[in-house]
Amino acid sequence: MPGMVLFGRRWAIASDDLVFPGFFELSLRVVWWIGILTLYLMHRGKLDCAGGTLLSSYLIVLLVLLAVIICTVSAIVCVSMKGTICNPGPRKSMSKLLYFRLTLFLPEMVWASLGAAWIADDVQCDRTVVSGIIATVIISWIIIVSTVVTIIIVFDPLGGKMAPYPSSGPNHLDSHDSSQLLNSLKTAATSVWETRIKFLCCCVGKDDHTRVAFSSTAELFSTYFSDTDLVPSDIAAGLTLLHQQQDNIRNSQEPDGVIGHSPGPPQEADLDAELANCHHYMQFAAAAYGWPLYIYRNPFTGLCKIGGDCCRSRTTEYDLVGGDQLHCHFGSILHTTGLQYRDFIHISFHDKVYELPFLVALDHRKESVVVAVRGTMSLQDILTDLSAENETLNLECGVQDCSAHKGISQAARYVYQRLVNDGILSQAFSIAPEYRLVVVGHSLGAGAAALLAIMLRSSYPQIRCYAFSPPRGLLSKSLYEYSKNFIVSLVLGKDVIPRLSVTNLEDLKKRILRVIAHCNKPKYQILLYGCWYELFGGSPDNFPTELDGGAQGDLTQPLLGEQSLLTHGSPTYSFSSDSPLESPTKYPPLYPPGRIIHLEEEGASGRFWRSAAQYSARWSHESQFSKILIGPKMLTDHMPHVLMKALDSVVSDRAGYVFCPARGSSNVDMV
């Protein structure tokens, strides 16, 4: 629901967010009250000492004050449990209860201060009583400090500038005053986000690229978040409901296409060949991450294997490899790829905004010169990822509308200039002129590798690119079609990154608004059941997320609940569920690179601890990645070591199926 309005400003917390913190405080206060009451009843006869009267009065007043606080917090919890996210009417008394609760902090602070002062006077009373009062003073101040920290966290810098949603509806925004208001709010939101990002990335340099990245990232966040009135818990509840809704739809669908239509032998042969190539070149994409990924994949033996390289001084043989600050990186790269030091032409771990680490090696097994670009591993890389506006590219590929993700295209251009202007590729092909060029990468590195391959294709027509888990919002439609001739992308399961683009995020926001507006359950029930569902599974049918059939008829307009969640009528949001989603002109729809191989988990999606998942491989169209899927593996499926394990399993299974077919079965694998 919209954030609560207290003291004339909006806060980043809703009136139904107080169930869990209120219940926690209530439990603590009740135990505390019982402890003090027990202390007083058992030791009141020992308070006839010097200062004992003050301590007795302190305990009695504290018991009364705690009783009032317990009643108030109980009322807050009960009121917060009422209504739904889009129906805050039953919680209209919440602001008065919070004002009263905050008022009680004043006597509590005074009494905690007096208790501390009396204890400091070295009262000569029973030690148990004194220790109990010291504990009550400490607990009082812990709760007071925790409350202050909570207030700071839920403080919304834009809260004092948020105008209420106009009662006349979005049409009211046609006026000149409303346009000025929206522009000023957007400017303020961008400034606030830029300040936050600079604070979080305070250790990043202050060069021109970094300043541009700060502005681009701030504008992206302000564009996405400034047109809705959702608090963080609303988004969490919406994602939980979407996951259950998505699983419910999947369970109700017929298992079509599994056996009815199988690809022909040529396509299957092509798939097997490309899977084998992906399995081989993924080692280079993983090696580009250096020692952190190697240690993570080999927690018990990794440090022992590369420890000598970390401490070894630079020798002549290491000087043959370009770049600097290799140390542990070089040892991990050798172990990951299985190559020798003389097979490497250049290794660079130079890392800045729009400038990615990469390596160039001679792969004698596949007779190729491999360029591997590293994925996201630093704050600089994250800023490169978030510079998501569109940028026109000057390419010699005969394709119109050559545009791409700005941050990734800048990173690809940096690697291109290093490879060409510094003569790195010339050096590689002078050693192995008959080899072909292969560019690989994972995640951000996959996007940069794809754009790098496009830039290099005019000079190297036989170039191939293998993009592992690339971001969806990368290429314009025409560049996407062009890239199918020489780029293969590999996507695992529900990986969120190959489905991540500004357009898809807008679609996700629209779906969150719809499912929240249609939900007839209070938020605390949604979150409780959602945690259980994510951890232990269950049937999504057990928790209805839609309004009852009779209640849906009351929606005379398209989703009145959704409309209440929009602060100023988002220009990027369409109320009609069937209408195409409009994107801001600065963020047009972008597409993933090349042909896509999708490794899908067979059977029901497992939870976090369920390993040994089985995957099947098939060619997929980019439209199958046009929506973000919610699930416990949407992040873990993106990890490079998880992708490598899945590739190992798929390649070995398909090889065994081809060479050892069951009696009476064909060699064509139906996936």
Side-chain angles (χ1 to χ4, degrees):
M1 64 159 289
M4 282 192 300
V5 177
L6 296 172
F7 304 106
R9 66 175 298 117
R10 177 193 181 277
W11 297 78
I13 189 172
S15 58
D16 53 357
D17 285 339
L18 302 176
V19 176
F20 299 116
F23 183 78
F24 176 77
E25 183 184 358
L26 183 62
S27 302
L28 181 62
R29 298 278 186 180
V30 169
V31 173
W32 184 10
W33 186 85
I34 293 174
I36 295 176
L37 180 62
T38 303
L39 178 70
Y40 177 75
L41 293 177
M42 293 181 63
H43 298 276
R44 59 182 176 179
K46 301 178 181 179
L47 293 176
D48 54 353
C49 54
T53 304
L54 289 176
L55 295 183
S56 179
S57 301
Y58 175 82
L59 291 176
I60 293 174
V61 174
L62 185 60
L63 285 171
V64 175
L65 182 60
L66 281 177
V68 175
I69 292 176
I70 288 172
C71 293
T72 305
V73 174
S74 300
I76 290 174
V77 172
C78 292
V79 172
S80 185
M81 296 171 71
K82 296 179 179 179
T84 63
I85 296 177
C86 287
N87 180 25
R91 302 189 297 271
K92 61 183 178 181
S93 60
M94 181 60 74
S95 58
K96 297 178 181 178
L97 288 172
L98 286 178
Y99 285 138
F100 183 71
R101 174 67 188 90
L102 291 173
T103 303
L104 292 176
F105 274 109
L106 181 59
E108 188 175 12
M109 291 178 63
V110 171
W111 214 240
S113 301
L114 289 176
W118 289 336
I119 294 300
D121 287 341
D122 194 22
V123 178
Q124 301 297 322
C125 287
D126 184 75
R127 196 62 194 170
T128 303
V129 178
V130 175
S131 300
I133 294 177
I134 291 175
T136 62
V137 171
I138 293 174
I139 294 174
S140 297
W141 282 110
I142 289 176
I143 292 178
I144 291 170
V145 171
S146 300
T147 303
V148 173
V149 172
T150 302
I151 292 174
I152 294 174
I153 292 174
V154 301
F155 177 79
D156 185 356
L158 295 173
K161 302 178 182 180
M162 294 296 290
Y165 188 84
S167 58
S168 57
N171 293 333
H172 178 74
L173 298 176
D174 294 337
S175 66
H176 178 68
D177 293 340
S178 295
S179 298
Q180 287 185 334
L181 174 63
L182 292 180
N183 290 332
S184 64
L185 286 174
K186 184 176 180 181
T187 302
T190 303
S191 176
V192 167
W193 276 110
E194 187 165 356
T195 302
R196 290 171 174 170
I197 294 166
K198 287 180 178 179
F199 176 77
L200 292 174
C201 303
C202 57
C203 58
V204 178
K206 305 295 182 182
D207 56 13
D208 292 339
H209 282 171
T210 304
R211 284 190 287 269
V212 171
F214 283 156
S215 300
S216 299
T217 304
E219 188 162 358
L220 173 65
F221 281 124
S222 64
T223 299
Y224 187 72
F225 290 109
S226 62
D227 58 353
T228 55
D229 200 0
L230 295 175
V231 297
S233 61
D234 293 337
I235 299 175
L239 293 174
T240 296
L241 292 173
L242 280 180
H243 184 206
Q244 298 168 43
Q245 182 187 73
Q246 162 191 304
D247 288 352
N248 193 16
I249 294 174
R250 186 189 61 194
N251 293 342
S252 63
Q253 287 178 341
E254 294 293 333
D256 54 347
V258 178
I259 299 179
H261 176 70
S262 59
Q267 289 180 312
E268 279 296 307
D270 184 39
L271 178 60
D272 286 327
E274 294 297 3
L275 277 173
N277 288 333
C278 289
H279 184 254
H280 176 77
Y281 288 115
M282 181 62 200
Q283 306 299 324
F284 291 89
Y289 282 98
W291 67 263
L293 179 60
Y294 184 79
I295 296 294
Y296 184 80
R297 291 177 57 204
N298 305 276
F300 301 108
T301 61
L303 189 59
C304 296
K305 290 182 178 179
I306 67 172
D309 295 289
C310 297
C311 305
R312 187 181 303 164
S313 59
R314 295 288 296 274
T315 61
T316 304
E317 64 185 30
Y318 275 71
D319 290 335
L320 294 177
V321 179
D324 53 4
Q325 298 180 354
L326 299 181
H327 306 303
C328 301
H329 289 306
F330 196 73
S332 66
I333 291 171
L334 293 177
H335 282 92
T336 302
T337 60
L339 302 181
Q340 299 180 0
Y341 74 90
R342 60 176 175 269
D343 296 324
F344 289 89
I345 305 299
H346 188 90
I347 301 176
S348 171
F349 278 88
H350 169 80
D351 189 12
K352 293 179 66 177
V353 177
Y354 302 155
E355 298 177 5
L356 299 178
F358 67 97
L359 62 87
V360 181
L362 299 178
D363 178 20
H364 303 296
R365 179 181 170 187
K366 292 284 187 178
E367 295 188 344
S368 58
V369 174
V370 181
V371 178
V373 187
R374 196 191 74 180
T376 302
M377 274 201 70
S378 66
L379 288 175
Q380 294 92 326
D381 298 337
I382 293 174
L383 291 173
T384 301
D385 283 315
L386 294 176
S387 298
E389 61 262 39
N390 197 47
E391 180 180 70
T392 302
L393 306 179
N394 184 18
L395 300 174
E396 299 177 1
C397 59
V399 176
Q400 295 181 346
D401 185 25
C402 292
S403 58
H405 183 291
K406 175 184 175 181
I408 300 178
S409 65
Q410 294 274 358
R413 188 173 296 111
Y414 160 78
V415 179
Y416 174 86
Q417 291 172 350
R418 292 290 308 276
L419 293 176
V420 176
N421 297 346
D422 293 356
I424 297 174
L425 285 184
S426 299
Q427 179 185 354
F429 283 104
S430 66
I431 299 174
E434 72 281 5
Y435 284 12
R436 72 172 182 176
L437 181 61
V438 177
V439 187
V440 303
H442 173 266
S443 188
L444 168 63
L451 281 168
L452 178 62
I454 294 174
M455 295 175 182
L456 289 169
R457 195 172 187 233
S458 59
S459 302
Y460 301 90
Q462 302 301 318
I463 191 172
R464 298 286 296 175
C465 174
Y466 292 94
F468 303 99
S469 306
R472 175 177 175 83
L474 183 66
L475 305 176
S476 61
K477 184 70 173 180
S478 56
L479 272 184
Y480 156 68
E481 296 292 344
Y482 172 75
S483 68
K484 289 181 179 180
N485 297 320
F486 56 97
I487 298 178
V488 172
S489 294
L490 185 71
V491 178
L492 175 63
K494 294 183 178 180
D495 187 353
V496 66
I497 300 301
R499 297 173 171 87
L500 194 62
S501 67
V502 177
T503 305
N504 282 9
L505 284 174
E506 285 291 338
D507 172 73
L508 179 64
K509 178 168 67 176
K510 174 181 177 179
R511 290 190 286 146
I512 288 176
L513 292 176
R514 290 189 63 84
V515 76
I516 287 177
H518 277 180
C519 184
N520 60 356
K521 300 293 182 182
K523 188 190 297 181
Y524 79 95
Q525 289 186 19
I526 298 172
L527 295 176
L528 279 176
Y529 185 84
C531 290
W532 180 272
Y533 185 80
E534 296 296 336
L535 292 175
F536 305 105
S539 174
D541 296 331
N542 294 336
F543 193 79
T545 60
E546 297 295 322
L547 290 172
D548 297 335
Q552 290 197 32
D554 297 336
L555 294 175
T556 57
Q557 297 182 17
L559 298 181
L560 298 178
E562 289 176 76
Q563 198 169 10
S564 68
L565 295 172
L566 291 169
T567 55
H568 303 291
S570 167
T572 64
Y573 180 82
S574 171
F575 285 106
S576 173
S577 60
D578 298 324
S579 61
L581 189 68
E582 298 178 5
S583 297
T585 55
K586 201 168 187 178
Y587 306 101
L590 297 176
Y591 301 86
R595 296 184 297 160
I596 303 174
I597 299 176
H598 189 199
L599 304 184
E600 291 184 287
E601 185 174 351
E602 296 178 339
S605 178
R607 302 301 176 194
F608 286 110
W609 58 83
R610 297 181 186 173
S611 58
Q614 296 297 315
Y615 293 91
S616 60
R618 65 183 180 89
W619 291 108
S620 296
H621 190 264
E622 61 82 17
S623 60
Q624 294 180 295
F625 305 93
S626 60
K627 287 185 181 295
I628 295 175
L629 300 181
I630 310 301
K633 291 189 174 181
M634 61 186 293
L635 297 178
T636 57
D637 279 349
H638 185 69
M639 301 300 291
H641 68 286
V642 176
L643 179 57
M644 294 175 75
K645 289 181 180 178
L647 261 176
D648 291 340
S649 174
V650 169
V651 171
S652 62
D653 288 348
R654 291 179 69 89
Y657 187 83
V658 170
F659 293 109
C660 301
R663 180 176 298 178
S665 63
S666 66
N667 287 343
V668 178
D669 190 9
M670 294 184 182
V671 293

